């Protein structure tokens, strides 16, 4: 990109690192006016090792975009219907005969989020490196009532995507990681992206820092097992691979045009807030299409702005909660104020 824009972006990222306490950030922007990539701050607060642009990162809920894409590919193959009830594929879901796959993908099922269960939090923090099965995750809320009538509200719940992952496995007869690898990652050449089934973490990567601990102190979460997020949040990727994924997701490269059109139909996250909505496994925020992610130690945003043909990926190695550490507010919003002032992500 031109020197003036590059200087502004350098300043924004440096200020975010200095003011928020985020250890390090990896940023990539690609568009008609050029490319910008930056690795700022440290990958390891103990050694001072620098952050580098080729590091692998845990991407949290960006995983949802892959799971729902795999589901929609089954729609295109005629193997499932978006308006099928979840009870057709998974037993034991409260009111499962009136919750559809479309409602699950669009966060409109009314099912509570298992991650808000006190028992889940207790079990997870007791052994962060231990593993969960999808069935164990669902069991935390299996007998709880719906929060609202399916289809009437938008309420972000990881439970929805866990159930969709189980649908993909039942219909394909294969594991979700295998399906995503064969049907999404390999066709797009995303060789540095994977869906781990353990706490394994490809090198190179930054250390990740979190205060999601028993006593709220900051801990190194690099090797914590992401299986608790499974279809909703377990995947690992890189800047270069997410550069491929964000536009492919927004354009529907792997789906039929009609299916993609349905995917992009968003419902406002808050009544009257038409500039931010959720579609089928993706957000549209001021025209930026994609997803954000957060899990202990890492946060991410991977989005594409069709109107400007702009791709933006931001990865940081901390999810420490604080007054000024929100990734969108600290980094993504000010970045878009520079590169797309008419489409500010926030």
């Amino acid at each position: 990109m031109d020197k003036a824009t590059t200087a502004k972006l350098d300043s924004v990222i440096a200020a975010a690192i200095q003011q928020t306490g985020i250890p390090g950030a990896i940023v990539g922007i690609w568009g008609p006016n050029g490319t910008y990539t930056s690795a700022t701050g440290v990958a390891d607060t103990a050694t001072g090792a620098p952050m580098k642009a080729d590091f692998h990162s845990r991407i949290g809920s960006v995983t949802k975009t892959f799971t729902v894409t795999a589901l929609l590919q089954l729609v295109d193959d005629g193997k499932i219907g978006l308006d099928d009830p979840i009870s057709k594929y998974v037993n034991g879901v409260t009111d499962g005969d009136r919750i559809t796959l479309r409602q699950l993908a669009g966060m409109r099922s009314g099912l509570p989020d298992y991650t808000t269960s006190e028992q889940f939090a207790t079990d997870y923090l007791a052994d962060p490196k231990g593993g969960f099965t999808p069935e164990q995750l669902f069991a935390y809320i299996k007998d709880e009532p719906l929060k609202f009538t399916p289809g009437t509200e938008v309420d972000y719940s990881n439970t929805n995507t866990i159930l969709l992952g189980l649908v993909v496995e039942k219909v394909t007869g294969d594991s979700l990681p295998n399906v995503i690898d064969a049907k999404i990652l390999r066709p797009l050449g995303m060789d540095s992206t994977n869906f781990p089934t353990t706490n394994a973490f490809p090198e190179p990567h930054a250390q990740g820092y979190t205060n999601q601990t028993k006593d709220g102190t900051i801990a190194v979460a690099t090797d914590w097992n992401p299986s608790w997020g499974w279809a909703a949040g377990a995947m690992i990727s890189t800047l270069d691979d997410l550069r491929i994924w964000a536009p492919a997701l927004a354009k529907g490269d792997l789906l039929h045009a009609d299916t993609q059109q349905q995917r992009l139909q968003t419902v406002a996250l808050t009544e009257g807030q038409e500039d931010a909505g959720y579609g089928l496994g993706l957000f549209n925020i001021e025209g930026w299409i994609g997803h954000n992610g957060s899990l202990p130690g890492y946060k991410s945003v991977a989005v594409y702005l069709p109107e400007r043909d702009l791709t933006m990926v931001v990865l940081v190695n901390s999810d420490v909660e604080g007054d000024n550490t929100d990734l969108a507010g600290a980094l993504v919003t000010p970045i878009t104020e520079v590169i797309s002032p008419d489409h500010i992500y926030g």
Side-chain angles (χ1 to χ4, degrees), residues 265-278:
Q265 293 174 0
T266 60
V267 178
L269 298 171
T270 304
E271 189 174 351
Q273 185 185 11
E274 300 306 322
D275 58 350
Y278 203 81

Side-chain angles (χ1 to χ4, degrees), residues 78-291:
K79 295 181 179 178
I80 63 173
L82 271 176
D83 296 312
D84 290 347
I86 184 61
S87 59
K88 183 175 179 180
Y89 307 98
V90 180
N91 295 324
V93 179
T94 301
D95 290 327
D97 57 341
R98 60 179 182 141
I99 296 174
T100 67
L101 304 186
R102 187 189 304 275
Q103 290 165 346
L104 290 165
M107 299 294 173
R108 304 181 71 199
S109 72
L111 288 167
D113 188 344
Y114 66 88
T115 65
T116 64
S117 161
E118 290 185 12
Q119 188 60 54
F120 165 77
T122 298
D123 293 346
Y124 177 58
L125 293 178
D127 182 16
K129 294 185 179 182
F132 290 90
T133 66
E135 291 78 13
Q136 286 175 318
L137 299 174
F138 176 56
Y140 284 105
I141 57 89
K142 188 173 183 179
D143 298 322
E144 293 187 21
L146 299 183
K147 297 174 69 174
F148 52 83
T149 301
T152 61
E153 298 180 31
V154 178
D155 184 66
Y156 192 85
S157 172
N158 290 288
T159 305
N160 294 326
T161 321
I162 297 298
L163 291 172
L164 294 181
L166 291 172
V167 172
V168 171
E169 291 198 331
K170 179 161 187 177
V171 174
T172 63
D174 203 351
S175 73
L176 182 62
N178 284 348
V179 173
I180 288 175
D181 183 59
K183 302 291 286 187
I184 301 173
L185 304 181
R186 284 195 228 166
L188 292 176
M190 296 175 63
D191 299 330
S192 296
T193 302
N194 74 91
F195 191 132
T197 55
T198 67
N199 61 350
F201 200 162
E203 295 281 0
H205 60 256
Q207 299 280 43
Y209 301 91
T210 188
N211 61 350
Q212 292 193 57
T213 54
K214 289 181 180 179
D215 57 4
T217 58
I218 295 177
V220 177
T222 313
D223 296 324
W224 288 14
N225 195 321
S227 63
W228 68 269
W230 194 57
M235 289 180 68
I236 294 170
S237 192
T238 63
L239 185 73
D240 284 345
D241 269 15
L242 292 175
R243 174 192 179 181
I244 296 170
W245 178 236
L249 170 69
K251 295 176 182 179
D253 288 356
L254 299 177
L255 300 175
H256 294 171
D258 176 64
T259 304
Q260 179 67 4
Q261 185 178 23
Q262 294 181 65
R263 173 170 220 177
L264 295 176
Q265 293 174 0
T266 60
V267 178
L269 298 171
T270 304
E271 189 174 351
Q273 185 185 11
E274 300 306 322
D275 58 350
Y278 203 81
L280 302 181
L282 50 73
F283 285 100
N284 184 323
I285 298 178
E286 284 288 353
W288 288 96
I289 297 170
H291 220 289

